[in-house]
């Protein structure tokens, strides 16, 4: 037991969570200090081991820069993690019924963001000193640094991250609401995306894959370490609300563990060319990292098995174990972050040098031309997109977990819907990482196949699997849970937002209802095709990763909202009567056909400096292929729309049957009041037509 720190017990009953006493506060600092010391020790040891900080023969910036830079980078990684973690605590993890706790969490987040800003600025300055081989004390340093941050990609990215950190600091002080902190967390993700574009991932080796997997890696690591790091100094204030917060963190940690493992494996495959490379200093350091990751996994398991479910009780032993685990976990997290930066600063076995003598396709797309497409190659050719592939796998895991949850409590869920969802996700996986993605980069017609499957085929499968309905049935509501007087006895409902509350918020938000509106969905679905192909958006989607993801997300969502408005099961849009739905559908079909014909008959090549410069020796010319793409848009586009029309007609007839059955039941129960009223009206009309009779007044409505 560390001297001077009282053994922190489990949640102390009947104690206000407002303030953390002396021993608790010093224990907080002990944990943060343990993380920081482990991180610095690990990065220094890692760098010393790989020799990444050895003096350079030419233009040596000096030891301060060579050793200071990796330490500053580690500090920036951890501070960015704590910032993201603090924002996630406020957005969804913390139980919200005590303003003092919310303010404390916001304070911790702002401090973390301020440290991030500082370390990001130091990292920027030392990076330039290291790149230029110039000591920061050199008189010319300032001027050159100015050029670095304005004229060089790396400088601009590092400046962007530092500015984003400063903006996050200010915003973290101003907003504590779940929605506000979620938006600020979005800005942190943008900064992490920029960070993922630097380092070895910026090199040529599998660039797209390297940056997207690095992004998943950085987010997974930051969320995992950051949430625990931000929770630790707060935990003493939470009292009985610590247990639900730890349980929610545990779910996040499990997903982060999976994300870090998958992306780490991909990073390793990119950086290591062969098994022998594991014996290099880089390889050995990576093995150390994987071992530390394994230790973290075991600690997480111990949490789950021994702490999470029992923290709500007053068992001091559990509380003691919890704090011990947190201290060890944060220390190991510090160490693995240090090793990570040492790895990022050391030359990997597979050099990330620019491609020498690139082919035209490599110059334009960054990739070699795939082989001529055959039926088989559409199945065998893969260009992995870690983010989208992980999203598809996560989509299947989450949906099946919800179905199992319903089953476990005795509720049923149609297997057809489950099969439809899984098929949709598998198709998404293939469309974004398989043949369509591979050929969609070099053939307009293949790009159109990718687009049509994303916007037309997959949404039909997803809309018919009613994911929102399932989610709302499977996910617990935060408000009802807290009211149950779980030890807190305080009974105030938990105003925090869990997955269920966020989903409901999204579906019922003004924006959600606007885009779910059937007319808006139809215009968005059909109109965005013209905007996409006949403006520079198409070029953006081809030439930048962000553009590519924006395209995939937009077309998938636009398709889902359109299909859901017509034949969906999920709540949300006010669906128009069936005749109008059919009208909307035929109008969209006509528009689609018109778009297809325009492409088929068009003779102006879209994005000519892409499709025209690939040096493709197989297949039709670029313009002929584009015209074929028009045929694909028409062909693949119309089939699902036709299926939708059949779907609407079937739903219509089923609805009619339901109405008829309802009416029959009412007639059987109350007699045919409608017919009676109708006959009475006819009688009155007949009466009126007899000459000389006074028209009796219709009885007044009660
Ligand atoms: C909690 C565990 C982990 C954390 C916190 C973590 C964190 C990080 C960070 C921050 C970076 C970027 C370093 C930089 O460029 O400055 C990184 C890179 C990397 N990580 Fe991890 N990582 C973890 C687990 C893993 C695992 C399990 C693997 C392997 C399976 C892995 C493989 C890699 C590789 C290969 C890189 C690229 C390094 C380079 O740029 O050369 N990481 N990691």
């Amino acid at each position: 037991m560390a001297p001077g720190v009282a053994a922190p017990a489990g949640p102390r009953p009947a104690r206000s969570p407002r303030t953390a006493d002396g021993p608790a506060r010093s224990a907080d600092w002990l944990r943060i200090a343990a993380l920081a010391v482990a991180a610095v020790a690990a990065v220094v040891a890692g760098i010393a081991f790989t020799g990444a900080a050895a003096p350079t023969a030419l233009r040596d910036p000096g030891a301060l820069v060579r050793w200071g830079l990796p330490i500053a980078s580690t500090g920036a990684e951890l501070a960015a993690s704590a910032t993201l973690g603090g924002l996630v605590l406020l957005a969804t993890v913390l139980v919200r019924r005590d303003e003092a706790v919310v303010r404390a969490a916001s304070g911790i987040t702002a401090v973390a963001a301020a440290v991030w800003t500082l370390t990001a600025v130091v990292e920027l300055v030392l990076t330039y000193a290291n790149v230029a081989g110039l000591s920061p004390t050199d008189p010319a340093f300032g001027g050159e640094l100015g050029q670095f941050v304005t004229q060089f990609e790396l400088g601009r990215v590092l400046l962007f991250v530092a500015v984003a950190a400063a903006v996050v600091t200010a915003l973290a002080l101003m907003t504590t609401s779940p929605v506000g902190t979620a938006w600020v967390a979005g800005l942190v993700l943008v900064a992490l995306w920029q960070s993922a574009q630097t380092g070895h991932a910026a090199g040529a080796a599998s660039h797209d894959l390297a940056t997207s997997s690095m992004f998943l890696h950085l987010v997974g690591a930051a969320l995992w370490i950051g949430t625990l790091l931000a929770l630790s100094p707060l935990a003493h204030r939470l009292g009985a609300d610590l247990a639900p917060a730890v349980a929610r963190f545990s779910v996040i940690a499990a997903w982060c563990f999976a994300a870090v493992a998958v992306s780490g494996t991909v990073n390793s495959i990119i950086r290591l060319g062969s098994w022998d490379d594991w014996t290099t200093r880089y390889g050995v350091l990576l093995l150390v990292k994987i071992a530390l990751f394994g230790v973290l996994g075991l600690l997480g398991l111990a949490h789950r098995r021994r702490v999470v479910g029992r923290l709500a009780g007053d068992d001091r032993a559990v509380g003691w174990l919890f704090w011990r685990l947190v201290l060890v976990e944060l220390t190991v997290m510090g160490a693995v972050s240090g090793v990570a930066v040492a790895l990022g600063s050391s030359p990997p076995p597979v050099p990330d040098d620019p491609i020498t003598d690139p082919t035209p396709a490599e110059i334009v797309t960054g990739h070699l031309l795939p082989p001529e497409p055959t039926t088989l190659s559409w199945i065998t050719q893969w260009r992995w997109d870690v983010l989208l592939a992980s999203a598809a796998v996560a989509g299947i895991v989450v949906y099946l977990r919800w179905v199992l949850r319903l089953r476990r409590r005795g509720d049923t869920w149609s297997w057809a819907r489950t099969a439809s969802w899984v098929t949709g996700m598998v198709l998404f996986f293939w469309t974004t990482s398989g043949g369509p993605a591979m050929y969609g980069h070099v053939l307009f017609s293949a790009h159109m196949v990718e687009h049509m499957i994303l916007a037309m085929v997959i949404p039909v499968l997803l809309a018919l699997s009613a994911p929102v309905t399932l989610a709302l049935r499977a996910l617990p509501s935060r408000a009802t849970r807290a009211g149950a007087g779980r030890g807190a006895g305080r009974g105030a409902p938990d105003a925090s937002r869990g997955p269920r509350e966020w989903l409901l918020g999204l579906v019922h938000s003004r924006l959600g209802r606007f885009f779910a509106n059937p007319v808006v969905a139809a215009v968005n679905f059909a109109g965005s095709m013209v905007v996409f192909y006949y403006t520079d958006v198409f070029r953006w989607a081809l030439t930048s990763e962000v553009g590519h993801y924006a395209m995939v997300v937009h077309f998938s969502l636009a398709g889902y909202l359109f299909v859901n408005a017509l034949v969906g099961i999920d709540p949300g849009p006010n669906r128009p009567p069936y005749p109008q739905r059919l009208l909307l559908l035929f109008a969209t079909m006509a528009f689609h056909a018109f778009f297809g014909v325009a492409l088929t008959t068009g003779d102006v090549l879209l994005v000519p400096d892409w499709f025209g410069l690939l040096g493709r020796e197989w297949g039709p010319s670029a313009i002929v292929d584009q015209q074929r793409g028009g045929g694909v848009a028409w062909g693949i586009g119309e089939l699902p729309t036709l299926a939708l029309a059949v779907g609407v007609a079937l739903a219509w007839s089923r609805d009619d049957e339901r109405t008829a059955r309802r009416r029959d039941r009412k007639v059987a129960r109350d007699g045919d009041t409608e017919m009676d009223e109708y006959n009475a009206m006819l009688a009155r009309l007949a009466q009126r037509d007899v000459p000389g009779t006074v028209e009796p007044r219709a009885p007044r409505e009660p």
Side-chain angles (χ1 to χ4, degrees), residues 125-426:
V125 171
L126 294 183
T127 300
Y128 179 66
N130 200 38
V131 170
L134 196 64
S135 161
T137 53
D138 189 294
F141 188 83
E144 290 189 18
L145 183 67
Q147 282 177 345
F148 177 58
V149 294
T150 47
Q151 292 162 21
F152 293 85
E153 179 62 20
L154 178 59
R156 281 197 292 266
V157 167
L158 293 174
L159 179 67
F160 175 90
V161 172
V163 171
V167 172
V168 168
T169 310
L171 292 174
L173 285 169
M174 287 194 274
T175 176
T176 59
S177 74
V179 175
T181 48
W183 279 110
V184 182
L187 181 55
V188 178
L189 292 182
V190 172
L192 288 179
W193 172 265
Q194 290 298 329
S195 298
Q197 314 300 312
T198 62
H200 296 142
S206 316
H207 175 72
D208 300 352
L209 183 61
T211 49
S212 58
S213 83
M214 185 53 87
F215 175 64
L216 183 63
H217 202 64
L218 292 181
V219 173
L223 210 47
W224 185 7
I225 296 176
T227 312
L228 186 63
L229 192 48
L231 182 64
S232 149
L234 263 180
H236 283 88
R237 297 162 177 264
L238 302 183
D241 292 340
L242 176 64
V246 171
R248 291 165 191 171
F249 164 67
S250 173
V251 176
I252 293 175
W255 282 105
C256 291
F257 184 87
V260 167
V262 169
S263 54
T265 308
V266 172
N267 291 348
S268 310
I269 294 168
I270 296 172
R271 304 276 158 251
L272 302 168
S274 68
W275 289 108
D276 297 346
D277 287 346
W278 286 97
T279 59
T280 61
R281 289 184 173 250
Y282 184 96
V284 172
L285 200 57
L286 185 52
L287 284 172
V288 170
K289 194 178 176 198
I290 295 172
L292 290 170
F293 176 70
V295 172
L296 284 175
L298 292 175
L299 288 168
L301 215 57
H303 259 301
R304 274 177 171 248
R305 294 243 171 95
R306 310 274 303 279
V307 171
V308 171
R310 299 162 56 200
L311 207 51
D314 288 342
D315 184 341
R316 295 175 80 84
V318 174
W320 188 89
L321 177 62
F322 170 68
W323 287 119
R324 282 292 155 286
L325 280 174
V326 170
L327 178 63
V328 178
E329 212 171 351
L330 285 173
T331 310
V332 178
M333 283 174 167
V336 76
S337 302
V339 172
V341 174
L343 211 57
S345 316
S346 311
V350 176
D352 49 2
D353 304 333
I355 306 168
T356 45
D357 191 19
T359 64
E362 278 175 310
I363 294 169
V364 174
T365 69
H367 299 280
L368 283 170
L369 211 57
E372 180 160 8
T374 60
T375 317
L376 187 64
S377 71
W378 275 84
I379 310 295
T380 54
Q381 290 293 320
W382 290 81
R383 180 169 300 147
W384 294 101
D385 185 308
V386 176
L387 288 182
L388 298 176
S390 306
V393 174
I396 293 175
V397 171
V398 169
Y399 194 97
L400 293 180
R401 276 171 62 94
W402 287 344
V403 172
L404 286 178
R405 196 177 289 173
L406 256 60
R407 289 268 157 85
R408 262 200 298 272
R409 67 174 194 228
D411 292 350
T412 57
W413 183 257
S414 112
W415 65 265
R417 288 183 185 171
T418 309
S420 181
W421 177 266
V422 172
T423 313
M425 284 295 139
V426 170

Side-chain angles (χ1 to χ4, degrees), residues 18 56 215 256 260 402 530 545 561 639 679:
R18 285 192 178 286
T56 47
F215 175 64
C256 291
V260 167
W402 287 344
V530 176
E545 267 190 282
L561 291 169
L639 289 176
N679 289 337

